[in-house]
Each structure stands twice: as C-alpha cells, then as structure tokens.
Amino acid sequence: MSKFVMPITTAVLLFPLIAALITAPFLIYKYRKVGSVPWLHAAAVYSFVFYLMCAYFLVLLPLPADRTAVVAYAQTPQLIPFQFVRSFLAETTARLDDPSTWLAAICDPYMYEAFFNVLLLVPLGAYLRYYFHRPWWQTLLIGFCVTLSFETTQLTGIWGIYEHPYRLFDVDDLMTNTLGCMVGFCLAGPVMRVLPDVRVAARQAAERGTTASATRRALTFGLDLALSQALAGCGYFAVHAVNGSRLLAGFGIEHATFWTCECAAIAAVFALFPVITRGQTPAQKLLRLRIVRPDAAPASGGQIVCRYATLFAIVLLPAWAFGLVAGVDDIPTTPAELRALASLCVHDRRP
C-alpha cells in the first residue's frame, strides 16, 4: 500500500496551491454565469480537482531519479487484450470448487491491480453524471480519453521529460479504467436520489445573484486594485525607459514619479473608467455589477468619484501613511533620542 500513500500525500500537499490558483477564475466564471457561488458547486469543483490530482499522481509517481533511466519492462507496450487474465490463469492455483483457494486468488497481484484500475476512474464517472450531467456515451468517451492520456503520458516519458518510458503502456489498463468510469456512472444514479440537485442549487444561486454579495464586491475591488497596480508599474517602468538616467538624478524625483503613476492608475481604474461606462469599473464590468444610487438610478460621475475616494480614505490611506512614515530617514534611532522623544510625549499628554 505504500506505493499509493506517497502519490496521495503529494496531492494533499499540493492541493492548497492549486486551489489558490483556480479560486479567482472559478469565482469570476460563476459570478458571470450565475451571479452567485453555490456551496454545492464549490465543493464539487474543488473535490473534483483534488480527485484528478490524486488520479494522475497515482499513475505517474514516483518519478525516476535519472532522466535517462531505462526501465526494461516498460520499453515494449502490452497490446494484447485481457493479457492479465491469461497471466493469472497461467500462474494461479485457485480452483472454483475449492473455497480455501479463493482468498489467495483475490490477493493475486494480477487481480488486485485490475481491481484498482477499475476503481481509479469510478469517481470520474460519478462526477460526469452528477455534476456535469453527461450522458452515458459521453461518459464512456471521456473516460477512455482520460485513461488514454494516462497511458500515452507513461509511454512518452511524460511527453519527453524522460528519454524512455518508465511505466508500461498496457491496453488492459485502458479497458479496466474505462470500465471503472462506466461503473461510476451507473452507481451515481441511485446516489443522486439522496444528494442535493446541483441544478436546483444553480437556480437558487441565480436568484441570490440579483444582489451583490460582500464576497462579490470584495473580489471586484481586489481585481480592480490589482489592475491599477499593474498599470502603475507599467507606467513607472515606461517613464524609466523614456527618461533613462535622468530620472535617477535624485530620490525625490523618482519618488514623485512613482506616486504620480500610482495616483494616475488608480484614478483611471476607479474614476475615469466608471464615468465612461456609467458606473462600472473594469472588474465590475467583468462580474456584471454596476454602481447605482439607493433608488437603483444610475450614479453620477461625482458620486462615483466620491464613493471611491471615501473607500480609499478608509481602507488604504492608513497603510500609505504608515509607509511614508516608515520611509522617513530622520526618525530618532539612538537611545538618547528615543528617551528625549518619550519624555516629550509624556509632557504633551493630556490629563
């Protein structure tokens, strides 16, 4: 069982990173399509991603230490269907009329490897039917393509990363994996009678999507802020490229240039763009939100500017002020200076 523990442990360790990478695209897609993110959809998507990671890691790990390693048994693909059955019958001592030999037959490597190959894609078939609502023939085709990707990745040494195959391309694996996908499709039918219906959850989410949730608004603000910082960085480096060494003549000039680019980018994203689009920042346009007055009437340009000026004053000005103070060079640093400053603060303190 140790050969299964390492790939699953690797998937567990890497899943938080993958989850962080897909969170923003997933939220954007759901907010654009539905207007809200049902918890059932989120649970299904993240568990499906984790399952795919486990499946591929089980197939590909552990990796050889040497890119040029030659694994003898993997060099010639196994293209004879049901070869594992022939190999099992040629070696087994089990007999149908002797129950005492059945346990040894079940524990035979040919049998339990075939069982685990079937089990590997059972969840895929269940996901395709329950969450993605695929019919049986599409499930069959997708299951075959997934297992074919397993085998071709092994055959090509992960598409050329390794000079030689390090796992065996086996046509029996194609059949057992595809069978497992269809088993999962069939098992999902009875299970769907007790699980929540994802389509009902989507309809409920669409109803909730008529109002902007705090998460949705926070996401739009974060995306707009990231865009403004990217624009500020591009503007700052563009000024560097145009002016060259002249910009570096003094720290004050460079500092002023940085803050000029910063303020211009924020004004463009949070003031100019919403005024032009009548109430939508770039991220709000992406997530289908609009700034309106309490009576749902369109907001004026002045209201939009005041809205974001207030928001930045509350959220960002304290952080910027701290950054400016931290960058001052003449803050007292010696013990004597600090004691004098503390004494001054004590005398100026109000009773």
Side-chain angles (χ1 to χ4, degrees):
M1 297 296 292
S2 60
K3 68 178 183 179
F4 301 116
V5 174
M6 190 274 285
I8 294 176
T9 302
T10 304
V12 171
L13 294 176
L14 291 179
F15 177 71
L17 174 61
I18 302 300
L21 292 176
I22 68 172
T23 293
F26 172 69
L27 291 177
I28 292 171
Y29 171 76
K30 280 298 178 183
Y31 280 132
R32 278 189 60 84
K33 183 178 180 181
V34 182
S36 181
V37 182
W39 69 267
L40 182 60
H41 286 235
V45 167
Y46 283 101
S47 62
F48 181 63
V49 170
F50 178 69
Y51 156 70
L52 286 181
M53 291 177 62
C54 289
Y56 273 94
F57 287 168
L58 283 168
V59 171
L60 300 179
L61 299 182
L63 299 174
D66 185 2
R67 289 185 62 251
T68 62
V70 177
V71 181
Y73 83 94
Q75 301 310 301
T76 303
Q78 200 293 106
L79 303 178
I80 304 175
F82 301 106
Q83 180 61 35
F84 77 97
V85 177
R86 297 185 183 90
S87 300
F88 169 74
L89 294 177
E91 296 181 6
T92 186
T93 59
R95 298 197 311 271
L96 292 177
D97 59 349
D98 186 358
S100 63
T101 63
W102 294 356
L103 180 60
I106 295 174
C107 296
D108 186 279
Y110 290 110
M111 296 304 295
Y112 73 69
E113 286 182 7
F115 171 76
F116 280 113
N117 280 331
V118 172
L119 189 63
L120 183 63
L121 289 195
V122 168
L124 177 63
Y127 276 109
L128 289 174
R129 182 172 184 178
Y130 172 65
Y131 182 72
F132 296 101
H133 303 289
R134 300 297 94 189
W136 71 267
W137 63 271
Q138 290 184 8
T139 301
L140 178 66
L141 181 61
I142 293 172
F144 177 78
C145 290
V146 170
T147 185
L148 184 62
S149 73
F150 292 163
E151 299 302 316
T152 51
T153 301
Q154 293 173 341
L155 180 65
T156 58
I158 312 185
W159 306 101
I161 295 179
Y162 294 91
E163 295 183 5
H164 307 280
Y166 66 93
R167 293 285 183 92
L168 178 65
F169 180 102
D170 194 337
V171 70
D172 288 338
D173 292 348
L174 290 174
M175 295 188 298
T176 52
N177 288 161
T178 306
L179 173 62
C181 188
M182 296 310 297
V183 169
F185 178 87
C186 295
L187 292 177
V191 175
M192 289 172 65
R193 299 192 182 104
V194 297
L195 290 178
D197 194 330
V198 292
R199 287 171 290 192
V200 173
R203 287 195 295 268
Q204 294 172 346
E207 295 172 0
R208 293 194 301 268
T210 55
T211 58
S213 65
T215 304
R216 192 175 181 181
R217 285 179 289 176
L219 178 62
T220 59
F221 181 72
L223 292 174
D224 284 326
L225 190 60
L227 175 61
S228 68
Q229 297 308 295
L231 292 176
C234 292
Y236 180 71
F237 287 111
V239 173
H240 263 283
V242 171
N243 292 293
S245 59
R246 287 179 295 170
L247 184 64
L248 303 177
F251 174 78
I253 298 176
E254 185 171 3
H255 202 62
T257 303
F258 170 80
W259 284 107
T260 300
C261 294
E262 183 81 11
C263 294
I266 290 176
V269 172
F270 291 97
L272 180 60
F273 194 93
V275 170
I276 294 174
T277 59
R278 302 185 63 186
Q280 287 183 301
T281 64
Q284 287 173 341
K285 196 169 187 64
L286 179 66
L287 271 67
R288 297 182 177 177
L289 288 179
R290 185 179 295 276
I291 304 169
V292 295
R293 294 187 295 188
D295 60 355
S300 65
Q303 290 173 321
I304 294 171
V305 173
C306 289
R307 178 182 190 271
Y308 281 110
T310 304
L311 181 61
F312 273 91
I314 295 173
V315 176
L316 294 181
L317 281 184
W320 285 351
F322 176 79
L324 289 174
V325 171
V328 175
D329 293 333
D330 58 354
I331 292 179
T333 56
T334 66
E337 290 173 327
L338 292 175
R339 282 195 298 269
L341 180 61
S343 176
L344 178 64
C345 292
V346 170
H347 288 303
D348 288 346
R349 187 179 59 188
R350 291 185 179 181

